[in-house]
Amino acid sequence: MRGFPPIVPYGADQTIYLVVESPGQQGVARQTECADIETVITDLLSGQFNDPIEVVAFNTLEHWTDDLSRDVAREIRCRCDIDGRDVPDYLEEFVDKTSA
């Protein structure tokens, strides 16, 4: 993973989801925290993120991290297939790169 501390902070037992966006013209990657995986997927499909590169989860009590990018990309592709529409342009690279 890029740019995340090796130790997950202590705290209440909760899983935090982060969507990491590619550095834009400002050269800074944006990380946005989401409450649950459904929110991540919904926000991605609704255009809340322009150029996502990674979706990461970490648990504050159990001290684990996991890269969920592949699972999220597959779910996006699946939902688009079910709805009979193409993956949105702003998600195409993320889905193609991570769902293979």
Side-chain angles (χ1 to χ4, degrees):
M1 286 185 299
R2 293 172 224 109
F4 294 107
I7 300 172
V8 176
Y10 287 93
D13 186 13
Q14 57 181 274
T15 301
I16 307 296
Y17 300 88
L18 294 177
V19 177
V20 181
E21 287 188 276
S22 176
Q25 292 183 356
Q26 294 89 5
V28 178
R30 185 176 84 152
Q31 300 173 9
T32 304
E33 184 179 316
C34 296
D36 56 50
I37 194 67
E38 183 60 34
T39 301
V40 170
I41 294 166
T42 302
D43 286 354
L44 285 164
L45 284 168
S46 68
Q48 298 291 323
F49 303 98
N50 293 323
D51 192 9
I53 57 173
E54 190 171 39
V55 177
V56 180
F58 64 89
N59 184 278
T60 58
L61 182 65
E62 297 172 9
H63 301 280
W64 55 259
T65 61
D66 196 9
D67 183 344
L68 300 178
S69 302
R70 177 175 283 169
D71 295 332
V72 169
R74 287 181 180 161
E75 182 64 21
I76 288 170
R77 184 176 301 283
C78 181
R79 290 183 188 195
C80 288
D81 287 348
I82 288 170
D83 291 343
R85 62 184 176 128
D86 293 333
V87 172
D89 292 341
Y90 55 88
L91 293 177
E92 229 175 317
E93 185 177 345
F94 171 75
V95 170
D96 290 344
K97 180 179 73 173
T98 57
S99 67

